[in-house]
Structures are given as C-alpha cells and as structure tokens.
Amino acid sequence: MATMPADRSPDSTLAFLRAGYRFIGERCDRYGSDLFQTRILLARTICLRGRPAAVLFYDNERFQRREAMPLRVQRTLTGRGGVQGLDGPEHRDRKAMLMSIMTPTAIRRLGQLFDDEWQARIPAWEGTTPVTLYDELGRLLTRVVCAWAGVPLPASQVDRRSVELHAMIEGPAMVGPRHWRGLLARRRAERWIADIIERARVGTLSVPAGSALDVIAEHRDARGALLPRRIAAVELLNVLRPTVALDRFIVFAALALHDHPGWRQRVRGDDEATEQFVQEVRRYYPFFPTAAARVRRSFDWEGHHFPRGRRVLLDLYGTNHHPTLWPEPELFRPERFAGRPVDPFALIPQGGGGHWTGHRCAGEWITIDLMKRAVTNLTRAMRYEVPPQDLALDLRRMPALPPSGLTLTNVRRAA
C-alpha cells in the first residue's frame, strides 16, 4: 500500500483560508501527487484533484454527502437539510424535484426575463457614471429569479434580499463579521421564504403553475408527505441563491471581453463562438473552490487507503486548471472547446458527474444560458468603456471578484 503524501501542519484550516483556490493544487504540485491528506477544521481530510479523482469522488457507492459539508457552510451557503447533503433515494427524489423545474421552456422564460430586465436597465445606466456591473447584476438577477420562481418581491425589498443572498454566498470562507452576516442572512432568508411557502400552501398567495415555488411547496416525498416548511425554504433558496451568484460569472465574462478584445467581434452573432467563450470563462475563472464528501465504506484506490468516514475534498478549481486535462491551463483560450464535447468529469466548475442522479448543480443549464445572453447584451445591446481600475483577481479570496466589481463608464445603447 502506497503512503499518501501528508501536510506537515497539525491543522491546515488557516493555510486553506490564506491560499484560497490554490491550496490543494499547490500542495499537489509540491508532493508530485494528485492527492494528499491533511487536517481541516481539525478533521482528517483527503484532498483530490484531476479527472480520475472526479470520477472516483462522484461514485455514490463509495461516497456519501450526509455530514460531509462543514457546518459553517451549511449554516450560510447551502442551508441544513438541503439536497446537497442527501444520499440515496432521498437525494434522487429531491434532485428530481429540482430538475423538473429546469425544463427548456422554463429556462427560455428565465432567459427572456433576464434580457428584458437588462435592456430596461440600459437607459438608467446611460445616466449614471460610473456603473458598477457587479452591484447592478446582483439586483437585476434578484428581481429576475424571484419573478421567474413565483416569489413575490416588492421593489422596496430588492436591495435587502439581494444583500442577504450575497451574504450567504460570501459567508462560508469568511471569519468574523462577514461570516456572522452570512449566518444572520441565512436565518432571515429562510424565515422570508418559509412564510411564502406557507402562504402558497394555504392559498393566500397566488402561485404560477409549474414555477419553482409551486413545485417545491407542493412536492411530496416517497411517503406522501409535504416537505417541512424550513426544508422547502432551503430548497427554494437553492434555486434563488445560485442564480444570483451568477453575477460573478457574468462579471468574469465581461472581464474576459475586456482582457481579450478580439473575442468581442468573434462572439457577436456567432452562437458557437459564444458557447466556447462561456465554457472557457467557466473553466478559467474561480467559482466554487471545492466539493465535499465522506467515505461511505473503506476502500483502496490506486494503492491508497480511504477509511470509512474520512472527509474528502475535490478541488474543482484545480481540476479545471489541471495541465493534463487542459494544455496551458493558465491561458484563456476559448477555442480549446471547438469541437470538444464537455466532459462531465473534467469541466467541473459546478460539480461533476450527472445532473439527474448525481451531485452536479441542477442549475448548470441556467448558468450557461444566462451567461450567453449576458455576453450578447454586452457585445450587441450596449456600448461602454472600462476606465482604469483594479481588476486583479485575488485567488486567496473565496469567492473571488475583481476589487472594483468592474466599473463601466459612458454606457449607451447600441445603435
């Protein structure tokens, strides 16, 4: 049995927070191995990267998700009792519920709402200097996804709910006040959505048929029971929150257009080029750093022992930058996707494996569609300038974002 490389530190939590997205990859390079063991939050942890590791990690016979995610992540980002922490028949049932919302018709409707909202905002941006794209997108996506999901959202509450959703996204990797804001935002958001779920169930709120609110509020498990109010709220937030989190990917797309101006013309009116561009943005830029699981039962893999109950982290960012999978991974090259089908275990910014029975993000198709529409709006619906500003990405910060949020000036509607 081979000896698994090990971090020498008694606990690597602070090192993980300091290194951010590069924590696992740097150590894999140091040890000359795509796996090593360490301690994170005082718990023994095996860290993995690469395609074979992703295939292994998404084997539901060997790994489970229950109790795998640290509590600080559940209490801010995902919520406790949501689909991300389920296994077996319960997970398949809950995942099927979420996937039933992601029909082509529903995704097109969301995309049309997004386009309409974006283009309706251009006149306001024309009169505002400067425009911070990240801030605008957060509010825009909050309005759009709530309207699409059937969640009532008065105009007076848009800023508040957008701030809460962002605080949950920021909370897991932060310490001190920013983490506490994530905890408070999670509690407030669950109360807000649980009240809406209850109103939908008792009939005091009109709910669009087939909407996310309708599907989740009325879903019954294998025993025929409605989901508890809080769990239903967690799952509806698992539709709202990840959609709002796309503001980062869209900012990254705008940043890529700025850094690689030759692609502005290539994506205009060319759906294939736009698809390649969007996939490379998803590969190249940092989104989720890792995914977590626990060993279901002890096994050996490639000469290494995985003991029952051991926490395992799969490096999503590191796999998307693995030199064996992606030649010159630190270069932004959308053409690498020309004629290349997406490998569900190689391109894993939102998890790997299958959508229906695995733990790949249910909203990935929404992500791709909205990013493509955003690129079209940025290149065809409007003109703008990007003034000098700090656009450097600090990969130690999770989740990462340009410090300026991407400032635009001289915004105007395209002729």
Side-chain angles (χ1 to χ4, degrees), residues 63-100:
F63 292 96
Q64 65 184 39
R65 269 61 189 177
R66 191 177 301 278
E67 299 181 353
M69 205 173 295
L71 281 176
R72 64 183 291 115
V73 178
Q74 297 178 50
R75 289 170 175 167
T76 53
L77 183 69
T78 63
R80 302 184 70 178
V83 66
Q84 298 93 336
L86 301 180
D87 297 293
E90 189 178 12
H91 172 261
R92 289 193 294 273
D93 174 74
R94 199 82 62 82
K95 191 67 179 289
M97 174 193 74
L98 292 173
M99 292 303 298
S100 73

Side-chain angles (χ1 to χ4, degrees), residues 2 11 68 72 84 116 135 141 163 197 199 226 300 359 369:
D11 186 85
R72 64 183 291 115
Q84 298 93 336
D116 292 346
D135 293 343
L141 285 165
V163 166
I197 293 285
R199 289 164 55 198
L226 292 169
D300 297 328
H359 285 265
D369 184 72

Side-chain angles (χ1 to χ4, degrees), residues 10 15 52 165 291:
L165 291 166

Side-chain angles (χ1 to χ4, degrees), residues 109 146-152 195-218 236:
R109 179 173 174 270
C146 285
W148 175 75
V151 174
D195 178 67
I196 290 173
I197 293 285
E198 185 63 23
R199 289 164 55 198
R201 286 174 172 174
V202 301
T204 59
L205 176 66
S206 178
V207 180
S211 65
L213 173 57
D214 178 47
V215 170
I216 294 171
E218 298 304 320
L236 187 49

Side-chain angles (χ1 to χ4, degrees), residues 353-399:
H355 291 94
W356 283 89
T357 59
H359 285 265
R360 197 177 188 99
C361 178
E364 186 174 26
W365 300 330
I366 284 176
T367 299
I368 295 168
D369 184 72
L370 293 189
M371 288 181 68
K372 289 170 66 174
R373 290 173 182 271
V375 168
T376 297
N377 281 308
L378 287 164
T379 57
R380 299 181 67 183
M382 58 189 279
R383 299 288 181 267
Y384 57 88
E385 296 171 8
V386 180
Q389 59 193 282
D390 187 357
L391 294 174
L393 285 178
D394 184 355
L395 293 178
R396 296 170 299 178
R397 186 184 190 278
M398 299 180 292

